């Protein structure tokens, strides 16, 4: 089962199910109000449904908060990626790559490929092979927030998780990272195309 449809108060909430070797169930409500359930392989579908029923109020509450945040959200006002010229895409990549190169030197880490993409939900990501991806809309944010995302992804070159050690690594190079995280949450990715 990759998705469960949960019927609540006359409406249907689709819940994406991701199974893995984890030991406990984790629920995540995304900025776009979508719901993700991360569950152990051995948990039965019935067991998951029982868990979700017990946590219905929590899910509804968190989705309501996400909806309010969407209403207050600022947007980057970026053009759709498909409408950018080759020159504009090159400018975006050059700017982001320059910040990556700068912080690689400061932090003493290396990366593989640097890719600029149009992602619906992420500002950036780092693979276990050291390839980093960045959302093109970072180009349109204040430079401090761009730098924070770069440092965040480069910190994954030392810690491929969000552990205490990871956040200490981020803080070492970006002491006010908490404020940047808060500001970044105020921005919504321009949902002006499906990529």
């Amino acid at each position: 089962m990759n998705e469960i449809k949960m019927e609540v108060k006359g409406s249907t909430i689709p819940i994406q199910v991701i199974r893995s070797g984890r030991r406990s169930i984790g629920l995540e409500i995304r900025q776009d109000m979508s719901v993700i359930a991360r569950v152990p392989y051995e948990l039965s579908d019935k067991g998951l449904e029982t868990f979700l029923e017990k946590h219905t109020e929590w899910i509804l509450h968190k989705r309501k908060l996400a909806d309010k945040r969407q209403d207050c959200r600022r947007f980057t006002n970026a053009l759709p990626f498909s409408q950018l010229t080759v020159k504009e895409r090159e400018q975006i990549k050059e700017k982001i790559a320059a910040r990556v190169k700068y912080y690689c030197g400061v932090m003493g880490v290396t990366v593989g490929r640097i890719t600029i993409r149009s992602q619906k939900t992420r500002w950036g990501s780092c693979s276990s092979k050291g390839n980093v991806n960045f959302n093109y809309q970072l180009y349109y944010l204040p430079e401090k927030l761009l730098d924070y995302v770069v440092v965040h992804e480069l910190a994954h070159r030392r810690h491929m998780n969000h552990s205490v050690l990871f956040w200490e690594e981020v803080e070492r190079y970006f002491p006010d990272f908490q404020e940047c995280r808060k500001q970044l949450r105020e921005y919504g990715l321009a949902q002006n195309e499906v990529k």
Side-chain angles (χ1 to χ4, degrees):
M1 179 186 306
N2 293 330
E3 188 178 83
I4 286 181
K5 295 203 184 300
M6 193 172 166
E7 301 295 329
V8 184
K9 298 178 182 176
S11 63
T12 303
I13 301 174
I15 298 175
Q16 183 185 355
V17 179
I18 300 172
R19 293 189 178 273
S20 68
R22 65 183 295 142
R23 294 181 181 173
S24 59
I25 303 172
L27 284 176
E28 177 186 353
I29 312 298
R30 292 254 168 116
Q31 293 172 358
D32 62 0
M33 293 179 25
S34 62
V35 184
I36 297 175
R38 299 179 194 280
V39 301
Y41 285 123
E42 62 272 7
L43 182 71
S44 68
D45 291 347
K46 184 69 181 160
L48 176 57
E49 287 169 9
T50 301
F51 177 87
L52 292 173
E53 283 169 19
K54 286 181 184 172
H55 291 82
T56 300
E57 289 304 315
W58 183 89
I59 292 169
L60 292 175
H61 174 68
K62 293 294 184 181
R63 289 184 88 233
K64 193 172 183 180
L65 289 178
D67 192 32
K68 281 183 184 172
R69 283 198 300 270
Q70 286 279 36
D71 291 343
C72 302
R73 191 144 290 196
R74 291 187 276 172
F75 289 90
T76 63
N77 296 320
L79 283 172
F81 194 68
S82 59
Q83 291 179 22
L84 296 174
T85 65
V86 171
K87 186 175 182 182
E88 288 169 327
R89 291 185 190 194
E90 285 173 359
Q91 285 175 334
I92 290 169
K93 183 165 185 178
E94 282 172 18
K95 180 178 180 178
I96 294 174
R99 300 315 291 157
V100 171
K101 184 176 180 183
Y102 170 77
Y103 279 106
C104 277
V106 170
M107 297 171 71
V109 296
T110 59
V111 296
R113 270 193 326 274
I114 300 171
T115 308
I116 308 303
R117 293 186 173 152
S118 173
Q119 296 160 299
K120 286 176 73 175
T121 58
R122 289 181 166 203
W123 292 108
S125 62
C126 177
S127 76
S128 56
K129 293 180 179 176
N131 297 322
V132 285
N133 300 305
F134 295 98
N135 195 306
Y136 82 102
Q137 292 185 52
L138 282 169
Y139 180 84
Y140 301 90
L141 291 181
E143 195 150 299
K144 187 172 187 176
L145 297 183
L146 164 59
D147 282 2
Y148 161 67
V149 174
V150 168
V151 168
H152 180 112
E153 298 313 330
L154 294 182
H156 282 308
R157 295 296 290 128
R158 292 220 164 87
H159 307 282
M160 281 300 290
N161 52 41
H162 289 107
S163 63
V164 172
L165 290 173
F166 167 83
W167 290 113
E168 286 174 356
E169 183 76 9
V170 172
E171 188 173 27
R172 185 174 295 126
Y173 303 101
F174 229 91
D176 62 343
F177 78 94
Q178 299 269 22
E179 180 57 29
C180 290
R181 284 184 79 196
K182 183 180 169 191
Q183 288 178 29
L184 200 57
R185 283 193 207 106
E186 293 171 7
Y187 281 90
L189 291 165
Q191 301 294 322
N192 45 23
E193 69 174 344
V194 178
K195 187 80 176 141

